[in-house]
Amino acid sequence: MITFFNTLTGKKEGFVPLTPGEVKLYTCGPTVYDFAHIGNFRAYLFEDLLKRFLQFMGHKVTHVMNITDIDDKTIKGAKTQGLGLAEYTRKYIAAFFADLKALNIVPADVYPRATEHIPEMVAIIKRLVQKGFAYKKDGSIYFSIAKFPAYGRLSKISLEELHPGQRVDVDEYEKESVHDFVLWKAKKEGEPFWETEIGPGRPGWHIECSAMSSKYLGESFDIHCGGVDNIFPHHENEIAQSEAAFGKTFVNYWLHCHHLVRDGEKMSKSRGNTITIPDILKIMDNPAALRYLLLSTHYRKTLNFTFKALEEAATALERIDEFAGQVRYGSYPEGETPQAAQMVSEAEARFRSGLSDDLNISKAMTALFNLIKKVNVAIAQGELRSRDAKAVDRFIGSVDRVLGVINPRQSVTIKVDSVSAKLSVIEPGGIVAGETELPEITAEQKELIERRQRARADKDFALADRLRRELLEQGIILEDTPDGVRWKAAAPPKKTG
Ligand SMILES: [Zn+2]
């Protein structure tokens, strides 16, 4: 049974989709007034994990993510730069898609844009007016929260805090100003507007998600996600609009991702500590490590982003990649063992049950790490067989359909001369400890191996990788093991001097 923590009910609940085997998922997308920062992407990655996991569990997922290309902020930004709205938002939309790709996020089925769904929004607003949930004032149209008794259920605001009859025109506001919120904003000088049946103007922010979700997913659907910042007012208002208009439950499960802080501080433009995906990749060009870092904290916990944490993620991931490569490309004696089959099925069950528990990523990763540990022991003891390795490889492949971060290292694909393929170990101090029949290496090559060890210890992965390649060009293949680095010769090593 899959369980999710439902913000609406405040507890973990068993997940049952409306149609067995099919999940309809709506996730609030970016407001394209600026480059999205890493905090935004934490939410998009949580949603990607959720979607990939549901697919892993055999569900067909239909995923819709809107793009807010008109609201207070986009209009203000375009004005400041003296650009048309579409011209202004274009570069942020392009950057958003480039970042999604860099982070290996599975694309949504549809990315509807607000400006392309004005008729759908107008239709819902008309209906709300007809049903008495909305009223017109000075050319604008407002939702009357007093008419919707369930208002506040998602964000748990008490009814005493409500100010029915008072109006709020801005798209974003705090809980302190719970007012009738704007659905349609009257035409204003210098703002884009549409001529419609409900008068000239433009939509408020919240109505677009009600319009686009019902268009692409239906009036009732399974899961709606966003960051915790979206709970109030945005999601509260979406519920009011949709349920008042359609008279049925809007969404069954509301999942919200918590904040990302940077070096312990909330990230915000006013603090000047926001950071974008390209900014980070300029400093450390390892998008898989960034993805891994952002996924590896449970979505309902605050995530503290630091470059040290990113380096640690890179190291952890490098270990997984090397293991995956060793399993995929290593050569093992023919056959299979019951022990390996047991290890794999246990790991698989634990990985599934971990994520089934409200996406408990720590439990899932522990399942993977335990398997790596056990298989490494089997390899070291010469017990892993070729079909065992294939089973482990398959498991890693299926795990990675969810994680999307593993790139098995191919450095061991090169054909190894059977005589010189015996492995040797250098301990961190640089002392050769391994087997007696060492492949010959020169003092210079040994020096390179030791320099690479130091680079790794200093987390200078770029240098470590360069030294690894340099050695590979000389016919020395390196393998990192829990005991230290091992090498084998790909071809008779070059002699110098
Ligand atoms: Zn939304």
Side-chain angles (χ1 to χ4, degrees), residues 317-336:
L317 193 53
E318 192 179 9
R319 242 178 260 140
I320 300 174
D321 287 348
E322 277 164 8
F323 173 78
Q326 205 176 349
V327 168
R328 179 170 299 177
Y329 305 113
S331 52
Y332 301 95
E334 284 296 307
E336 61 190 315

Side-chain angles (χ1 to χ4, degrees), residues 30-31 33-45 73 92 95-96 99 103 105 229 258-262 265-270 272-280 290 294 305:
T31 300
Y33 74 107
D34 196 355
F35 297 106
H37 61 68
I38 182 187
N40 306 124
F41 275 94
R42 185 203 183 184
Y44 305 148
L45 274 169
K73 290 189 280 194
Y92 301 118
F96 169 69
D99 290 347
L103 289 176
I105 291 176
D229 284 344
H258 281 239
H259 288 293
L260 177 143
V261 297
R262 184 173 174 195
E265 283 201 336
K266 187 176 189 277
M267 224 165 42
S268 68
K269 293 199 97 183
S270 56
N273 64 348
T274 59
I275 186 163
T276 66
I277 304 302
D279 288 342
I280 294 169
L290 180 56
L294 295 180
F305 176 82

Side-chain angles (χ1 to χ4, degrees), residues 26-29 66 68 205-206 208-210 224-225 230 234-235 238:
Y26 188 90
T27 61
C28 288
N66 67 305
T68 302
W205 171 33
H206 315 291
E208 71 182 72
C209 288
S210 288
H224 195 314
C225 299
N230 288 143
H234 186 50
H235 290 166
E238 280 187 41

Side-chain angles (χ1 to χ4, degrees), residues 375-447:
V375 173
N376 269 331
V377 170
I379 292 174
Q381 295 176 344
E383 283 167 3
L384 197 79
R385 299 300 155 109
S386 61
R387 284 166 72 181
D388 298 338
K390 280 214 173 70
V392 176
D393 182 45
R394 264 198 309 276
F395 170 70
I396 290 175
S398 76
V399 156
D400 198 50
R401 281 201 293 280
V402 181
L403 302 175
V405 292
I406 303 173
N407 298 294
R409 290 253 178 170
Q410 302 209 12
S411 56
V412 286
T413 49
I414 293 165
K415 279 230 171 83
V416 176
D417 176 285
S418 63
V419 182
S420 54
K422 294 226 171 67
L423 297 170
S424 307
V425 177
I426 280 189
E427 280 177 348
I431 302 144
V432 178
E435 297 154 31
T436 46
E437 279 182 85
L438 305 176
E440 283 180 81
I441 55 168
T442 64
E444 287 85 351
Q445 286 166 338
K446 186 164 171 248
E447 165 64 20

